[in-house]
């Protein structure tokens, strides 16, 4: 049952008169509403009782308005949009993967720059720095995998108005970096397994579509660019499907989520967004355990056990430029052994860009 009132916690300098003024009510109206729900010791007369700490106010009044918290500056109506910024954003990223009853930990830093708007999309540059590997993954092949990853960075991306990954931008720069990196890897590591792996990897690098499929499984990219810049309802929420690469070797898991934005800027000058939901995938348990992209076993009566799992995420955005200052995300799938991915992203440095991109805006426009 919904409460018939909101509660405003009184501050040190609050008086019946100045609170009533902020509520655009008379002192008598404020006192009368409060007294309907108050006990004997909390009744308001001509002034607040000495020890009164909470004031009952109508539900139509948001207590945050009394705290003078500013509202989020939406781009018309309730749409939150990407804004340009001239900052270099450095994030600390901590990622834990729970798979096959093992836990793998990855710690690294990511540098994010907004470059320019390109037609209806936005050009971002992402650079991975200072990666600390999990000792469980040590070995020559893993070291080669880590080394080959360097070819992607700095990674140029086009992002939609909603904040979704659209495509790799300037794919040719990755292709150009590959021969030199491949030579250095072969000088450091030997063996037919390494050579075969590099040949396989090379095919993915040269094929932009395959490379996008590979890179867009990255957990950081899917968290940072995860459609927070959308048109919210008048209730500041929206229900939508969300796809997340919980298991990298198969199609993303589908969740049904509710996404909420607090319309008030916090005291820390941040915009708060929360996403909560559950698995809503047509694949059944045996489909996932068989690494299938499409549902198959759901047609068999003895093999159609549905899968459960939760999705939770919180984002704290800069209230002025709307870039992410902190993000936490958990996605899970309840199989025989729980598949779970936890990632936290926190801004540790925010500095102005000191150098301009290699190309001018005219060159970029001409190429697109």
């Amino acid at each position: 049952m919904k409460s018939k009132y909101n509660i405003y916690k009184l501050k040190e300098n609050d008086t019946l008169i100045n609170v009533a003024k902020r509520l655009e009510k008379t002192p008598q109206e404020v006192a009368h509403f409060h007294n309907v729900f108050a006990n004997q010791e909390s009744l308001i007369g001509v002034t607040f009782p000495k020890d009164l700490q909470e004031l009952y106010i109508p539900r139509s009044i948001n207590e945050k308005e009394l705290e003078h918290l500013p509202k989020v500056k939406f781009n018309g109506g309730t749409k939150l949009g990407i804004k340009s910024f001239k900052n270099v954003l450095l994030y600390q990223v901590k990622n834990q993967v729970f798979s096959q009853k093992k836990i793998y930990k990855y710690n690294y830093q990511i540098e994010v720059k907004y470059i320019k708007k390109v037609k209806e999309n936005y050009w971002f540059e992402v650079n991975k720095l200072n990666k600390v590997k999990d000792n469980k993954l040590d070995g020559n092949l893993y070291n080669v995998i880590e080394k080959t990853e360097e070819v992607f960075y700095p990674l140029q991306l086009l992002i939609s108005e909603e904040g979704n990954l659209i495509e790799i931008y300037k794919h040719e720069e990755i292709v150009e970096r590959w021969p030199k990196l491949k030579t250095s890897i072969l000088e450091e590591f030997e063996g037919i397994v390494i050579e075969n792996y590099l040949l396989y990897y090379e095919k993915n690098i040269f094929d932009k579509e395959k490379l996008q499929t590979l890179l867009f499984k990255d957990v950081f990219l899917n968290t940072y660019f995860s459609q927070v810049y959308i048109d919210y309802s008048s209730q500041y929420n929206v229900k939508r499907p969300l796809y997340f690469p919980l298991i990298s070797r198969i199609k993303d898991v589908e969740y049904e989520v509710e996404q909420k934005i607090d319309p008030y800027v916090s005291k820390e000058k941040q915009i708060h967004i929360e996403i909560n939901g559950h698995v809503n995938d047509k694949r059944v348990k045996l489909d996932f355990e068989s690494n299938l992209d499409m549902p198959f076993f759901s047609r068999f009566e003895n093999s159609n056990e549905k899968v459960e799992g939760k999705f939770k995420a919180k984002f704290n955005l800069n209230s002025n430029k709307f870039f992410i200052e902190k993000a936490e995300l958990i996605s899970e799938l309840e199989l025989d052994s729980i598949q779970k991915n936890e990632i936290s992203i926190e801004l540790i440095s925010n500095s102005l860009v000191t150098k301009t991109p290699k190309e001018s805006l005219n060159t970029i426009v001409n190429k697109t």
Side-chain angles (χ1 to χ4, degrees):
M1 183 176 177
K2 285 187 176 180
S3 173
K4 295 180 180 179
Y5 52 80
N6 286 336
I7 295 176
Y8 169 61
K9 295 186 181 298
L10 293 169
K11 307 296 185 294
E12 185 177 352
N13 296 320
D14 282 339
T15 66
L16 179 56
I17 293 174
N18 66 31
V19 169
K21 187 175 180 180
R22 299 207 300 272
L23 289 173
E24 297 181 350
K25 305 285 185 185
T26 67
Q28 291 79 13
E29 287 173 327
V30 173
H32 176 74
F33 184 89
H34 171 88
N35 289 344
V36 170
F37 306 100
N39 57 32
Q40 191 67 33
E41 292 76 21
S42 301
L43 292 174
I44 299 173
V46 294
T47 62
F48 289 147
K50 183 178 179 181
D51 296 323
L52 185 67
Q53 296 181 348
E54 295 181 338
L55 177 69
Y56 300 119
I57 58 176
R59 280 185 54 81
S60 59
I61 299 172
N62 193 313
E63 63 272 20
K64 292 184 178 180
E65 292 181 5
L66 290 171
E67 297 174 2
H68 295 293
L69 292 178
K71 287 190 173 182
V72 174
K73 294 180 180 178
F74 292 101
N75 294 9
T78 52
K79 180 173 175 57
L80 192 71
I82 291 179
K83 288 188 177 183
S84 63
F85 56 87
K86 296 181 179 179
N87 311 64
V88 178
L89 307 176
L90 181 63
Y91 296 93
Q92 182 64 50
V93 181
K94 296 180 180 180
N95 184 207
Q96 287 193 111
V97 178
F98 300 76
S99 179
Q100 303 295 325
K101 299 181 180 180
K102 294 181 181 179
I103 303 175
Y104 302 96
K105 298 181 180 180
Y106 307 90
N107 295 318
Y108 51 92
Q109 292 178 348
I110 289 281
E111 189 179 76
V112 177
K113 298 177 189 175
Y114 169 88
I115 307 299
K116 294 184 186 298
K117 189 168 184 180
V118 180
K119 294 186 177 179
E120 70 276 11
N121 297 316
Y122 298 85
W123 174 13
F124 279 80
E125 181 180 288
V126 175
N127 206 3
K128 184 176 282 190
L129 311 167
N130 305 325
K131 185 168 183 178
V132 179
K133 67 183 179 183
D134 193 314
N135 290 332
K136 298 189 191 75
L137 300 172
D138 202 3
N140 271 357
L141 184 56
Y142 176 75
N143 290 333
V144 170
I145 293 171
E146 289 283 280
K147 192 78 175 173
T148 53
E149 193 181 66
E150 294 176 10
V151 76
F152 304 135
Y153 301 100
L155 178 63
Q156 315 297 328
L157 296 168
L158 287 185
I159 307 300
S160 73
E161 289 185 346
E162 292 79 24
N164 277 338
L165 293 163
I166 297 296
E167 66 171 303
I168 296 171
Y169 193 48
K170 298 187 174 300
H171 170 246
E172 68 276 7
E173 291 186 357
I174 296 175
V175 174
E176 288 171 6
R177 289 196 290 261
W178 174 244
K180 184 176 180 181
L181 180 62
K182 179 182 176 182
T183 299
S184 68
I185 292 172
L186 290 173
E187 288 174 352
E188 186 175 351
F189 302 95
E190 296 179 348
I192 190 65
V193 173
I194 303 299
E195 291 176 8
N196 288 339
Y197 175 76
L198 292 180
L199 286 173
Y200 160 78
Y201 211 79
E202 191 171 273
K203 292 178 181 178
N204 286 323
I205 288 172
F206 290 164
D207 188 320
K208 182 179 177 180
E209 191 172 329
K210 287 183 178 179
L211 185 58
Q212 282 181 176
T213 301
L214 176 69
L215 279 178
F216 287 7
K217 290 286 186 181
D218 183 88
V219 174
F220 171 83
L221 295 180
N222 278 272
T223 303
Y224 196 86
F225 301 109
S226 59
Q227 201 173 330
V228 296
Y229 304 100
I230 59 175
D231 197 351
Y232 293 85
S233 73
S234 58
Q235 301 301 311
Y236 303 104
N237 70 338
V238 64
K239 291 183 178 180
R240 65 180 181 92
L242 183 149
Y243 302 89
F244 197 80
L246 180 56
I247 304 173
S248 61
R249 58 187 174 273
I250 62 174
K251 186 179 177 182
D252 294 355
V253 179
E254 180 179 350
Y255 295 87
E256 181 67 28
V257 301
E258 181 177 17
Q259 186 166 319
K260 296 181 179 179
I261 184 169
D262 190 331
Y264 291 89
V265 175
S266 73
K267 293 177 181 177
E268 295 77 28
K269 297 183 179 180
Q270 293 178 330
I271 299 169
H272 291 169
I273 297 171
E274 290 192 9
I275 306 175
N276 292 285
H278 60 273
V279 171
N280 188 35
D281 203 293
K282 292 180 181 179
R283 287 169 290 182
V284 295
K285 184 177 179 181
L286 197 52
D287 290 325
F288 282 108
E289 291 178 341
S290 303
N291 295 324
L292 300 181
D293 284 335
M294 303 297 291
F296 175 76
F297 289 101
S298 56
R299 70 189 73 179
F300 304 112
E301 187 175 345
N302 296 327
S303 307
N304 61 357
E305 184 181 351
K306 291 190 175 181
V307 178
E308 295 183 353
K310 295 180 180 179
F311 185 95
K312 296 181 179 180
K314 292 183 179 180
F315 295 87
N316 297 345
L317 276 55
N318 179 280
S319 61
N320 183 29
K321 290 296 185 179
F322 295 176
F323 56 73
I324 293 172
E325 293 188 345
K326 187 174 183 180
E328 295 177 341
L329 183 149
I330 299 174
S331 63
E332 66 177 24
L333 199 61
E334 296 180 10
L335 304 177
D336 283 343
S337 62
I338 287 185
Q339 298 284 320
K340 184 164 69 169
N341 204 310
E342 298 180 354
I343 185 170
S344 67
I345 302 167
E346 188 161 5
L347 185 67
I348 57 175
S349 175
N350 177 0
S351 56
L352 291 175
V353 175
T354 55
K355 57 182 180 180
T356 57
K358 294 179 182 178
E359 294 178 274
S360 69
L361 179 59
N362 288 336
T363 306
I364 295 164
V365 171
N366 288 337
K367 282 193 173 185
T368 57

